[in-house]
Amino acid sequence: VASGADPGPSPLDDTIESEERRQYRAALLILPEADRDLLTGRIELGLRYEELALATCLPTAAAARMATKRASLRLARAMAQVQAPAKR
């Protein structure tokens, strides 16, 4: 590889990223629809909190931010649940 050239992700990196995506998707399905809407809007669509508030009928951007934070915590717990059986 030439000096300074980016060789791109390795096969291992691709495998790890693929597994993380699988865990994310599986965990997302465990969550309530309102959490899924907030998280996909923010993470996947890159919506601002003002836009999330409008899309999810929350009263303010601050409410959307707090609801998204709580949904993120639930997602993290769900991802740990999804990951746990694979470690056995």
Side-chain angles (χ1 to χ4, degrees):
V1 175
S3 177
D6 181 8
S10 71
L12 177 59
D13 291 334
D14 286 341
T15 300
I16 291 169
E17 185 176 317
S18 176
E19 178 61 17
E20 288 172 349
R21 265 195 310 265
R22 185 200 65 76
Q23 289 173 353
Y24 166 75
R25 289 283 176 213
L28 205 58
L29 292 174
I30 295 171
L31 299 178
E33 184 177 2
D35 286 354
R36 288 194 307 265
D37 290 346
L38 287 164
L39 293 168
T40 55
R42 184 73 179 153
I43 295 169
E44 297 180 25
L45 302 177
L47 297 179
R48 295 174 317 179
Y49 292 115
E50 294 83 3
E51 295 169 314
L52 274 177
L54 289 172
T56 58
C57 299
L58 290 169
T60 65
R65 183 184 56 77
M66 187 55 78
T68 302
K69 180 179 179 179
R70 290 180 181 135
S72 295
L73 294 172
R74 287 188 286 272
L75 175 65
R77 285 193 297 271
M79 286 183 73
Q81 285 179 334
V82 169
Q83 185 178 14
K87 289 186 173 183
R88 290 182 186 176

Short mmCIF file of all heavy atoms in Angstrom, two decimals, residues 15-82:
data_model
loop_
_atom_site.label_atom_id
_atom_site.label_comp_id
_atom_site.label_asym_id
_atom_site.label_seq_id
_atom_site.Cartn_x
_atom_site.Cartn_y
_atom_site.Cartn_z
N THR A 15 -16.84 -7.30 8.87
CA THR A 15 -17.60 -8.29 9.64
C THR A 15 -18.12 -7.69 10.93
O THR A 15 -19.29 -7.88 11.30
CB THR A 15 -16.73 -9.52 9.93
OG1 THR A 15 -16.30 -10.09 8.69
CG2 THR A 15 -17.49 -10.57 10.74
N ILE A 16 -17.26 -6.95 11.64
CA ILE A 16 -17.66 -6.32 12.90
C ILE A 16 -18.76 -5.31 12.64
O ILE A 16 -19.77 -5.28 13.35
CB ILE A 16 -16.44 -5.68 13.60
CG1 ILE A 16 -15.50 -6.76 14.08
CG2 ILE A 16 -16.90 -4.77 14.74
CD1 ILE A 16 -14.15 -6.26 14.56
N GLU A 17 -18.60 -4.49 11.61
CA GLU A 17 -19.62 -3.49 11.29
C GLU A 17 -20.94 -4.17 10.93
O GLU A 17 -22.00 -3.73 11.35
CB GLU A 17 -19.14 -2.60 10.14
CG GLU A 17 -20.09 -1.47 9.84
CD GLU A 17 -19.55 -0.54 8.77
OE1 GLU A 17 -18.37 -0.19 8.80
OE2 GLU A 17 -20.36 -0.17 7.90
N SER A 18 -20.87 -5.24 10.19
CA SER A 18 -22.07 -5.97 9.80
C SER A 18 -22.78 -6.54 11.03
O SER A 18 -24.01 -6.48 11.13
CB SER A 18 -21.70 -7.09 8.82
OG SER A 18 -22.82 -7.86 8.50
N GLU A 19 -22.01 -7.09 11.97
CA GLU A 19 -22.59 -7.64 13.19
C GLU A 19 -23.21 -6.54 14.04
O GLU A 19 -24.30 -6.72 14.60
CB GLU A 19 -21.53 -8.41 13.99
CG GLU A 19 -22.03 -8.98 15.30
CD GLU A 19 -23.16 -10.00 15.16
OE1 GLU A 19 -23.39 -10.54 14.06
OE2 GLU A 19 -23.85 -10.25 16.18
N GLU A 20 -22.55 -5.40 14.13
CA GLU A 20 -23.11 -4.28 14.89
C GLU A 20 -24.42 -3.79 14.27
O GLU A 20 -25.37 -3.47 14.98
CB GLU A 20 -22.11 -3.13 14.97
CG GLU A 20 -20.95 -3.43 15.89
CD GLU A 20 -19.85 -2.40 15.84
OE1 GLU A 20 -19.85 -1.53 14.94
OE2 GLU A 20 -18.97 -2.44 16.71
N ARG A 21 -24.47 -3.75 12.94
CA ARG A 21 -25.71 -3.35 12.26
C ARG A 21 -26.82 -4.35 12.53
O ARG A 21 -27.96 -3.97 12.77
CB ARG A 21 -25.47 -3.22 10.75
CG ARG A 21 -25.17 -1.83 10.30
CD ARG A 21 -25.29 -1.69 8.79
NE ARG A 21 -24.58 -2.72 8.07
CZ ARG A 21 -23.34 -2.60 7.58
NH1 ARG A 21 -22.69 -1.47 7.73
NH2 ARG A 21 -22.77 -3.58 6.94
N ARG A 22 -26.47 -5.64 12.53
CA ARG A 22 -27.47 -6.67 12.81
C ARG A 22 -28.01 -6.50 14.23
O ARG A 22 -29.22 -6.56 14.45
CB ARG A 22 -26.85 -8.07 12.64
CG ARG A 22 -27.89 -9.19 12.80
CD ARG A 22 -27.28 -10.52 13.13
NE ARG A 22 -26.62 -10.56 14.42
CZ ARG A 22 -27.24 -10.63 15.61
NH1 ARG A 22 -28.57 -10.66 15.66
NH2 ARG A 22 -26.58 -10.67 16.73
N GLN A 23 -27.12 -6.27 15.19
CA GLN A 23 -27.55 -6.08 16.57
C GLN A 23 -28.42 -4.83 16.70
O GLN A 23 -29.43 -4.84 17.41
CB GLN A 23 -26.34 -5.97 17.50
CG GLN A 23 -25.62 -7.27 17.68
CD GLN A 23 -24.33 -7.11 18.46
OE1 GLN A 23 -23.91 -6.00 18.77
NE2 GLN A 23 -23.70 -8.23 18.79
N TYR A 24 -28.03 -3.77 16.04
CA TYR A 24 -28.81 -2.52 16.07
C TYR A 24 -30.21 -2.77 15.53
O TYR A 24 -31.20 -2.40 16.15
CB TYR A 24 -28.08 -1.45 15.25
CG TYR A 24 -28.93 -0.24 14.92
CD1 TYR A 24 -29.22 0.72 15.88
CD2 TYR A 24 -29.42 -0.05 13.63
CE1 TYR A 24 -29.98 1.83 15.58
CE2 TYR A 24 -30.19 1.06 13.32
CZ TYR A 24 -30.47 1.99 14.29
OH TYR A 24 -31.23 3.08 13.98
N ARG A 25 -30.29 -3.43 14.38
CA ARG A 25 -31.60 -3.68 13.77
C ARG A 25 -32.47 -4.58 14.65
O ARG A 25 -33.66 -4.35 14.82
CB ARG A 25 -31.44 -4.33 12.38
CG ARG A 25 -30.89 -3.39 11.35
CD ARG A 25 -32.00 -2.48 10.90
NE ARG A 25 -31.47 -1.50 9.98
CZ ARG A 25 -31.92 -0.28 9.88
NH1 ARG A 25 -32.90 0.14 10.64
NH2 ARG A 25 -31.40 0.57 9.04
N ALA A 26 -31.87 -5.64 15.21
CA ALA A 26 -32.62 -6.56 16.07
C ALA A 26 -33.10 -5.84 17.33
O ALA A 26 -34.24 -6.03 17.76
CB ALA A 26 -31.74 -7.76 16.43
N ALA A 27 -32.24 -5.03 17.91
CA ALA A 27 -32.61 -4.29 19.12
C ALA A 27 -33.71 -3.27 18.82
O ALA A 27 -34.63 -3.08 19.61
CB ALA A 27 -31.39 -3.59 19.71
N LEU A 28 -33.61 -2.63 17.68
CA LEU A 28 -34.60 -1.63 17.29
C LEU A 28 -36.00 -2.25 17.23
O LEU A 28 -36.98 -1.63 17.64
CB LEU A 28 -34.21 -1.03 15.94
CG LEU A 28 -34.70 0.36 15.59
CD1 LEU A 28 -34.25 1.38 16.63
CD2 LEU A 28 -34.20 0.76 14.22
N LEU A 29 -36.08 -3.49 16.77
CA LEU A 29 -37.38 -4.16 16.66
C LEU A 29 -38.00 -4.48 18.01
O LEU A 29 -39.22 -4.65 18.11
CB LEU A 29 -37.23 -5.45 15.85
CG LEU A 29 -36.90 -5.26 14.37
CD1 LEU A 29 -36.63 -6.60 13.71
CD2 LEU A 29 -38.02 -4.51 13.67
N ILE A 30 -37.17 -4.54 19.05
CA ILE A 30 -37.68 -4.82 20.40
C ILE A 30 -38.37 -3.58 20.99
O ILE A 30 -39.28 -3.69 21.79
CB ILE A 30 -36.51 -5.25 21.33
CG1 ILE A 30 -35.93 -6.58 20.86
CG2 ILE A 30 -36.95 -5.33 22.78
CD1 ILE A 30 -34.64 -6.97 21.56
N LEU A 31 -37.93 -2.42 20.57
CA LEU A 31 -38.40 -1.16 21.15
C LEU A 31 -39.82 -0.81 20.69
O LEU A 31 -40.26 -1.23 19.62
CB LEU A 31 -37.46 -0.02 20.75
CG LEU A 31 -36.02 -0.14 21.22
CD1 LEU A 31 -35.20 1.03 20.71
CD2 LEU A 31 -35.95 -0.23 22.73
N PRO A 32 -40.50 0.01 21.48
CA PRO A 32 -41.81 0.51 21.05
C PRO A 32 -41.68 1.35 19.77
O PRO A 32 -40.62 1.92 19.50
CB PRO A 32 -42.26 1.39 22.22
CG PRO A 32 -41.42 0.99 23.38
CD PRO A 32 -40.13 0.47 22.81
N GLU A 33 -42.75 1.43 19.05
CA GLU A 33 -42.75 2.17 17.78
C GLU A 33 -42.32 3.63 17.95
O GLU A 33 -41.58 4.16 17.12
CB GLU A 33 -44.13 2.10 17.13
CG GLU A 33 -44.18 2.75 15.77
CD GLU A 33 -45.53 2.63 15.10
OE1 GLU A 33 -46.46 2.06 15.69
OE2 GLU A 33 -45.65 3.11 13.96
N ALA A 34 -42.74 4.26 19.02
CA ALA A 34 -42.37 5.66 19.24
C ALA A 34 -40.85 5.82 19.37
O ALA A 34 -40.26 6.76 18.82
CB ALA A 34 -43.06 6.20 20.49
N ASP A 35 -40.20 4.88 20.07
CA ASP A 35 -38.74 4.91 20.19
C ASP A 35 -38.09 4.68 18.83
O ASP A 35 -37.13 5.36 18.47
CB ASP A 35 -38.24 3.85 21.17
CG ASP A 35 -38.51 4.21 22.62
OD1 ASP A 35 -38.98 5.33 22.89
OD2 ASP A 35 -38.24 3.35 23.49
N ARG A 36 -38.61 3.72 18.09
CA ARG A 36 -38.06 3.44 16.74
C ARG A 36 -38.15 4.68 15.87
O ARG A 36 -37.20 5.01 15.15
CB ARG A 36 -38.79 2.27 16.09
CG ARG A 36 -38.46 0.93 16.70
CD ARG A 36 -38.92 -0.24 15.83
NE ARG A 36 -40.31 -0.18 15.46
CZ ARG A 36 -41.30 -0.78 16.10
NH1 ARG A 36 -41.05 -1.48 17.19
NH2 ARG A 36 -42.54 -0.69 15.69
N ASP A 37 -39.28 5.35 15.92
CA ASP A 37 -39.46 6.55 15.10
C ASP A 37 -38.45 7.63 15.46
O ASP A 37 -37.84 8.25 14.58
CB ASP A 37 -40.88 7.10 15.26
CG ASP A 37 -41.94 6.22 14.64
OD1 ASP A 37 -41.59 5.32 13.84
OD2 ASP A 37 -43.13 6.43 14.95
N LEU A 38 -38.26 7.85 16.75
CA LEU A 38 -37.29 8.86 17.19
C LEU A 38 -35.88 8.50 16.77
O LEU A 38 -35.14 9.33 16.24
CB LEU A 38 -37.35 9.02 18.71
CG LEU A 38 -38.57 9.73 19.27
CD1 LEU A 38 -38.70 9.48 20.76
CD2 LEU A 38 -38.49 11.23 18.97
N LEU A 39 -35.50 7.25 17.00
CA LEU A 39 -34.13 6.85 16.72
C LEU A 39 -33.83 6.80 15.23
O LEU A 39 -32.76 7.25 14.80
CB LEU A 39 -33.84 5.50 17.38
CG LEU A 39 -33.83 5.54 18.91
CD1 LEU A 39 -33.84 4.14 19.50
CD2 LEU A 39 -32.65 6.35 19.42
N THR A 40 -34.75 6.27 14.44
CA THR A 40 -34.48 6.25 13.01
C THR A 40 -34.48 7.66 12.44
O THR A 40 -33.68 7.97 11.56
CB THR A 40 -35.47 5.35 12.25
OG1 THR A 40 -36.81 5.76 12.53
CG2 THR A 40 -35.30 3.89 12.60
N GLY A 41 -35.35 8.50 12.95
CA GLY A 41 -35.36 9.88 12.49
C GLY A 41 -34.05 10.59 12.79
O GLY A 41 -33.49 11.28 11.94
N ARG A 42 -33.56 10.40 13.99
CA ARG A 42 -32.33 11.09 14.40
C ARG A 42 -31.08 10.43 13.83
O ARG A 42 -30.23 11.09 13.24
CB ARG A 42 -32.27 11.12 15.93
CG ARG A 42 -31.10 11.87 16.47
CD ARG A 42 -31.27 13.36 16.29
NE ARG A 42 -30.12 14.03 16.87
CZ ARG A 42 -29.68 15.19 16.48
NH1 ARG A 42 -30.30 15.86 15.56
NH2 ARG A 42 -28.62 15.71 17.03
N ILE A 43 -30.94 9.11 13.99
CA ILE A 43 -29.71 8.40 13.60
C ILE A 43 -29.64 8.17 12.10
O ILE A 43 -28.62 8.45 11.47
CB ILE A 43 -29.61 7.06 14.34
CG1 ILE A 43 -29.46 7.30 15.85
CG2 ILE A 43 -28.44 6.23 13.82
CD1 ILE A 43 -29.61 6.05 16.70
N GLU A 44 -30.70 7.66 11.52
CA GLU A 44 -30.64 7.25 10.12
C GLU A 44 -30.98 8.39 9.16
O GLU A 44 -30.42 8.46 8.07
CB GLU A 44 -31.56 6.06 9.89
CG GLU A 44 -31.10 4.84 10.69
CD GLU A 44 -31.98 3.63 10.47
OE1 GLU A 44 -32.63 3.53 9.42
OE2 GLU A 44 -32.01 2.78 11.38
N LEU A 45 -31.91 9.24 9.55
CA LEU A 45 -32.32 10.33 8.66
C LEU A 45 -31.64 11.65 8.98
O LEU A 45 -31.70 12.59 8.20
CB LEU A 45 -33.84 10.50 8.71
CG LEU A 45 -34.66 9.26 8.32
CD1 LEU A 45 -36.14 9.53 8.49
CD2 LEU A 45 -34.33 8.82 6.92
N GLY A 46 -31.02 11.73 10.16
CA GLY A 46 -30.31 12.94 10.54
C GLY A 46 -31.21 14.14 10.80
O GLY A 46 -30.80 15.29 10.63
N LEU A 47 -32.44 13.87 11.24
CA LEU A 47 -33.36 14.97 11.51
C LEU A 47 -32.90 15.77 12.72
O LEU A 47 -32.35 15.23 13.68
CB LEU A 47 -34.76 14.43 11.78
CG LEU A 47 -35.47 13.70 10.64
CD1 LEU A 47 -36.84 13.21 11.09
CD2 LEU A 47 -35.57 14.56 9.41
N ARG A 48 -33.15 17.06 12.67
CA ARG A 48 -32.91 17.92 13.83
C ARG A 48 -34.05 17.69 14.82
O ARG A 48 -35.11 17.18 14.46
CB ARG A 48 -32.87 19.39 13.40
CG ARG A 48 -31.70 19.71 12.48
CD ARG A 48 -31.82 21.11 11.98
NE ARG A 48 -33.24 21.28 11.63
CZ ARG A 48 -33.79 22.38 11.16
NH1 ARG A 48 -33.09 23.44 10.96
NH2 ARG A 48 -35.07 22.45 10.88
N TYR A 49 -33.81 18.09 16.07
CA TYR A 49 -34.84 17.87 17.09
C TYR A 49 -36.13 18.61 16.78
O TYR A 49 -37.22 18.11 17.08
CB TYR A 49 -34.31 18.25 18.48
CG TYR A 49 -33.23 17.29 18.94
CD1 TYR A 49 -31.93 17.73 19.14
CD2 TYR A 49 -33.50 15.95 19.14
CE1 TYR A 49 -30.94 16.85 19.54
CE2 TYR A 49 -32.53 15.06 19.55
CZ TYR A 49 -31.24 15.52 19.74
OH TYR A 49 -30.26 14.63 20.13
N GLU A 50 -36.03 19.78 16.16
CA GLU A 50 -37.25 20.51 15.75
C GLU A 50 -38.06 19.67 14.77
O GLU A 50 -39.29 19.59 14.86
CB GLU A 50 -36.89 21.85 15.11
CG GLU A 50 -36.23 22.84 16.04
CD GLU A 50 -34.72 22.62 16.21
OE1 GLU A 50 -34.13 21.73 15.55
OE2 GLU A 50 -34.13 23.34 17.03
N GLU A 51 -37.36 19.04 13.83
CA GLU A 51 -38.04 18.19 12.83
C GLU A 51 -38.61 16.94 13.48
O GLU A 51 -39.73 16.51 13.13
CB GLU A 51 -37.05 17.82 11.73
CG GLU A 51 -36.57 19.00 10.92
CD GLU A 51 -35.40 18.67 10.01
OE1 GLU A 51 -34.43 18.01 10.46
OE2 GLU A 51 -35.45 19.10 8.84
N LEU A 52 -37.87 16.36 14.42
CA LEU A 52 -38.37 15.18 15.13
C LEU A 52 -39.63 15.52 15.91
O LEU A 52 -40.57 14.72 15.94
CB LEU A 52 -37.31 14.65 16.10
CG LEU A 52 -36.28 13.68 15.56
CD1 LEU A 52 -35.27 13.32 16.64
CD2 LEU A 52 -36.92 12.45 14.98
N ALA A 53 -39.63 16.68 16.54
CA ALA A 53 -40.81 17.09 17.30
C ALA A 53 -42.03 17.15 16.40
O ALA A 53 -43.11 16.64 16.75
CB ALA A 53 -40.57 18.43 17.98
N LEU A 54 -41.87 17.75 15.24
CA LEU A 54 -43.00 17.83 14.30
C LEU A 54 -43.42 16.45 13.81
O LEU A 54 -44.62 16.14 13.74
CB LEU A 54 -42.62 18.71 13.11
CG LEU A 54 -42.51 20.20 13.38
CD1 LEU A 54 -41.94 20.92 12.17
CD2 LEU A 54 -43.86 20.77 13.76
N ALA A 55 -42.44 15.62 13.47
CA ALA A 55 -42.74 14.30 12.91
C ALA A 55 -43.38 13.36 13.92
O ALA A 55 -44.14 12.47 13.53
CB ALA A 55 -41.46 13.68 12.35
N THR A 56 -43.06 13.55 15.19
CA THR A 56 -43.56 12.62 16.21
C THR A 56 -44.62 13.25 17.13
O THR A 56 -44.99 12.65 18.13
CB THR A 56 -42.39 12.10 17.08
OG1 THR A 56 -41.72 13.21 17.68
CG2 THR A 56 -41.41 11.29 16.25
N CYS A 57 -45.06 14.43 16.78
CA CYS A 57 -46.11 15.14 17.54
C CYS A 57 -45.70 15.45 18.97
O CYS A 57 -46.55 15.48 19.88
CB CYS A 57 -47.42 14.36 17.51
SG CYS A 57 -48.07 14.13 15.85
N LEU A 58 -44.42 15.69 19.18
CA LEU A 58 -43.97 16.15 20.49
C LEU A 58 -44.07 17.66 20.52
O LEU A 58 -43.94 18.32 19.48
CB LEU A 58 -42.53 15.68 20.76
CG LEU A 58 -42.40 14.17 20.98
CD1 LEU A 58 -40.95 13.73 20.98
CD2 LEU A 58 -43.07 13.78 22.29
N PRO A 59 -44.30 18.25 21.70
CA PRO A 59 -44.60 19.68 21.75
C PRO A 59 -43.42 20.61 21.42
O PRO A 59 -43.65 21.70 20.92
CB PRO A 59 -45.07 19.90 23.19
CG PRO A 59 -44.52 18.75 23.96
CD PRO A 59 -44.43 17.61 23.00
N THR A 60 -42.19 20.17 21.72
CA THR A 60 -41.04 21.05 21.50
C THR A 60 -39.82 20.25 21.07
O THR A 60 -39.78 19.02 21.22
CB THR A 60 -40.66 21.80 22.80
OG1 THR A 60 -40.22 20.82 23.78
CG2 THR A 60 -41.81 22.63 23.35
N ALA A 61 -38.81 20.96 20.59
CA ALA A 61 -37.53 20.33 20.26
C ALA A 61 -36.88 19.75 21.51
O ALA A 61 -36.28 18.67 21.46
CB ALA A 61 -36.60 21.34 19.59
N ALA A 62 -37.02 20.44 22.62
CA ALA A 62 -36.46 19.94 23.89
C ALA A 62 -37.11 18.61 24.29
O ALA A 62 -36.43 17.69 24.77
CB ALA A 62 -36.62 20.97 24.99
N ALA A 63 -38.40 18.51 24.08
CA ALA A 63 -39.11 17.26 24.39
C ALA A 63 -38.62 16.14 23.47
O ALA A 63 -38.43 15.00 23.91
CB ALA A 63 -40.61 17.45 24.24
N ALA A 64 -38.39 16.46 22.21
CA ALA A 64 -37.88 15.47 21.26
C ALA A 64 -36.47 15.03 21.65
O ALA A 64 -36.13 13.85 21.57
CB ALA A 64 -37.89 16.03 19.84
N ARG A 65 -35.66 15.99 22.09
CA ARG A 65 -34.29 15.67 22.51
C ARG A 65 -34.30 14.73 23.71
O ARG A 65 -33.60 13.72 23.73
CB ARG A 65 -33.52 16.95 22.85
CG ARG A 65 -32.06 16.69 23.23
CD ARG A 65 -31.34 17.96 23.65
NE ARG A 65 -32.00 18.68 24.73
CZ ARG A 65 -31.95 18.32 26.02
NH1 ARG A 65 -31.28 17.26 26.38
NH2 ARG A 65 -32.57 19.04 26.93
N MET A 66 -35.11 15.03 24.70
CA MET A 66 -35.18 14.20 25.89
C MET A 66 -35.75 12.82 25.56
O MET A 66 -35.25 11.80 26.04
CB MET A 66 -36.02 14.87 26.97
CG MET A 66 -35.99 14.14 28.29
SD MET A 66 -34.33 13.85 28.94
CE MET A 66 -33.95 15.43 29.60
N ALA A 67 -36.79 12.77 24.75
CA ALA A 67 -37.37 11.48 24.37
C ALA A 67 -36.38 10.65 23.57
O ALA A 67 -36.29 9.43 23.75
CB ALA A 67 -38.65 11.71 23.55
N THR A 68 -35.59 11.29 22.72
CA THR A 68 -34.58 10.58 21.95
C THR A 68 -33.47 10.06 22.85
O THR A 68 -32.99 8.93 22.67
CB THR A 68 -33.99 11.49 20.85
OG1 THR A 68 -35.06 11.93 20.00
CG2 THR A 68 -32.97 10.76 20.00
N LYS A 69 -33.08 10.85 23.84
CA LYS A 69 -32.07 10.40 24.80
C LYS A 69 -32.56 9.16 25.54
O LYS A 69 -31.82 8.18 25.68
CB LYS A 69 -31.76 11.53 25.79
CG LYS A 69 -30.72 11.15 26.81
CD LYS A 69 -30.42 12.30 27.75
CE LYS A 69 -29.40 11.90 28.79
NZ LYS A 69 -29.08 13.00 29.70
N ARG A 70 -33.79 9.19 26.00
CA ARG A 70 -34.35 8.03 26.71
C ARG A 70 -34.46 6.82 25.79
O ARG A 70 -34.17 5.69 26.20
CB ARG A 70 -35.70 8.39 27.30
CG ARG A 70 -35.60 9.37 28.44
CD ARG A 70 -36.96 9.71 29.02
NE ARG A 70 -36.82 10.68 30.10
CZ ARG A 70 -37.58 11.75 30.24
NH1 ARG A 70 -38.56 11.99 29.39
NH2 ARG A 70 -37.38 12.58 31.24
N ALA A 71 -34.88 7.05 24.55
CA ALA A 71 -34.97 5.95 23.59
C ALA A 71 -33.58 5.37 23.31
O ALA A 71 -33.44 4.15 23.15
CB ALA A 71 -35.61 6.45 22.29
N SER A 72 -32.56 6.21 23.28
CA SER A 72 -31.18 5.74 23.07
C SER A 72 -30.73 4.83 24.20
O SER A 72 -30.06 3.82 23.97
CB SER A 72 -30.22 6.92 22.94
OG SER A 72 -30.51 7.67 21.80
N LEU A 73 -31.08 5.19 25.42
CA LEU A 73 -30.74 4.35 26.57
C LEU A 73 -31.45 3.00 26.48
O LEU A 73 -30.85 1.95 26.76
CB LEU A 73 -31.10 5.06 27.88
CG LEU A 73 -30.27 6.31 28.18
CD1 LEU A 73 -30.85 7.04 29.40
CD2 LEU A 73 -28.81 5.97 28.38
N ARG A 74 -32.72 3.02 26.07
CA ARG A 74 -33.44 1.76 25.90
C ARG A 74 -32.84 0.93 24.77
O ARG A 74 -32.75 -0.29 24.86
CB ARG A 74 -34.93 2.02 25.67
CG ARG A 74 -35.65 2.48 26.94
CD ARG A 74 -37.15 2.55 26.78
NE ARG A 74 -37.58 3.69 25.99
CZ ARG A 74 -37.84 4.90 26.50
NH1 ARG A 74 -37.71 5.13 27.78
NH2 ARG A 74 -38.24 5.88 25.71
N LEU A 75 -32.38 1.61 23.71
CA LEU A 75 -31.73 0.90 22.60
C LEU A 75 -30.45 0.23 23.09
O LEU A 75 -30.19 -0.93 22.74
CB LEU A 75 -31.42 1.88 21.46
CG LEU A 75 -30.64 1.28 20.29
CD1 LEU A 75 -31.46 0.21 19.56
CD2 LEU A 75 -30.23 2.38 19.32
N ALA A 76 -29.66 0.92 23.88
CA ALA A 76 -28.42 0.34 24.40
C ALA A 76 -28.71 -0.92 25.22
O ALA A 76 -28.02 -1.94 25.08
CB ALA A 76 -27.67 1.36 25.23
N ARG A 77 -29.74 -0.86 26.07
CA ARG A 77 -30.11 -2.04 26.86
C ARG A 77 -30.59 -3.17 25.95
O ARG A 77 -30.25 -4.33 26.17
CB ARG A 77 -31.18 -1.68 27.89
CG ARG A 77 -30.61 -0.90 29.07
CD ARG A 77 -31.60 -0.81 30.23
NE ARG A 77 -32.82 -0.10 29.92
CZ ARG A 77 -32.99 1.21 30.07
NH1 ARG A 77 -32.02 1.95 30.52
NH2 ARG A 77 -34.14 1.77 29.77
N ALA A 78 -31.37 -2.83 24.94
CA ALA A 78 -31.87 -3.85 24.01
C ALA A 78 -30.72 -4.47 23.22
O ALA A 78 -30.71 -5.68 22.98
CB ALA A 78 -32.91 -3.24 23.07
N MET A 79 -29.75 -3.66 22.85
CA MET A 79 -28.59 -4.20 22.11
C MET A 79 -27.80 -5.16 23.00
O MET A 79 -27.30 -6.18 22.52
CB MET A 79 -27.70 -3.08 21.58
CG MET A 79 -28.31 -2.38 20.39
SD MET A 79 -27.26 -1.10 19.67
CE MET A 79 -26.01 -2.10 18.87
N ALA A 80 -27.70 -4.87 24.29
CA ALA A 80 -27.02 -5.77 25.21
C ALA A 80 -27.77 -7.10 25.31
O ALA A 80 -27.17 -8.16 25.38
CB ALA A 80 -26.88 -5.12 26.59
N GLN A 81 -29.11 -7.03 25.29
CA GLN A 81 -29.92 -8.26 25.32
C GLN A 81 -29.71 -9.08 24.06
O GLN A 81 -29.60 -10.29 24.12
CB GLN A 81 -31.40 -7.92 25.43
CG GLN A 81 -31.85 -7.47 26.78
CD GLN A 81 -33.35 -7.14 26.78
OE1 GLN A 81 -33.93 -6.81 25.74
NE2 GLN A 81 -33.97 -7.24 27.93
N VAL A 82 -29.68 -8.40 22.94
CA VAL A 82 -29.50 -9.09 21.66
C VAL A 82 -28.11 -9.71 21.59
O VAL A 82 -27.94 -10.82 21.07
CB VAL A 82 -29.71 -8.09 20.47
CG1 VAL A 82 -29.28 -8.70 19.16
CG2 VAL A 82 -31.16 -7.67 20.41
#
